[in-house]
Amino acid sequence: MTKKADLDEATTVLLGAAAIVVLAVCVGLVVNHLSSDGLPLFASQHSLRPPVSAGATYMSIDEAREFLDEQGAIFLDARPAAAFDEGHIEGAVSLPVEDFAETEAALRDALRGATVLICYCDGIDCEQGAQLADQLVNAGYYNVALMFEGWEEWERAGYPASSAAEERQ
């Protein structure tokens, strides 16, 4: 065989392999799209939201910011106490998921009187806020919202924040 024939044969094999790969990708995309359990091709905030109990709703940081100065709204930080001490939404109350039973009991009167309970944790990768929202709904609270974007986005937006050191001053 000549070099030209070898090159033509190699090109044909590569083009055939590329065609098979393209066809497989196309078939995979169609099957994914038609599947009831298909994965989103492009993640949106909506698709990244952790599931919460039927009694809870989602709230954006901008919507939550509107509640910051409202009487009766309580921001609940689901993160461990040490993270809360480092920084949190101004006026928020620490209610760590792992300490829910004892901390909720101490806060029960204030929580029952709230117009809205806004739960949050670190950010979109954190599920503690959703877990706290679920625990509150299961404990009988009906006015529960999850601020899904969390502390990281709140801080990035420059909204009012505080820390344990600032509060001691």
Side-chain angles (χ1 to χ4, degrees), residues 52-88:
V52 292
S53 295
T57 60
Y58 291 98
M59 183 179 288
S60 72
I61 62 168
D62 295 328
E63 292 169 323
R65 173 63 180 97
E66 293 176 14
F67 281 96
L68 187 62
D69 299 321
E70 184 178 305
Q71 288 290 86
I74 300 177
F75 284 79
L76 298 170
D77 192 318
R79 303 173 301 155
F84 177 85
D85 289 346
E86 287 179 24
H88 54 268

Side-chain angles (χ1 to χ4, degrees), residues 45 49-50 52 56-68 75-77 88-89 92 117-124 126 128-130 133 144-155 159:
Q45 279 197 355
R49 290 177 176 177
V52 292
T57 60
Y58 291 98
M59 183 179 288
S60 72
I61 62 168
D62 295 328
E63 292 169 323
R65 173 63 180 97
E66 293 176 14
F67 281 96
L68 187 62
F75 284 79
L76 298 170
D77 192 318
H88 54 268
I89 293 173
L117 301 172
I118 304 169
C119 304
Y120 72 94
C121 59
D122 281 325
I124 62 173
C126 177
Q128 292 169 330
V144 178
L146 172 62
M147 187 182 75
F148 169 66
E149 296 92 346
W151 165 245
E152 293 169 356
E153 288 300 316
W154 182 274
E155 189 176 36
Y159 290 158

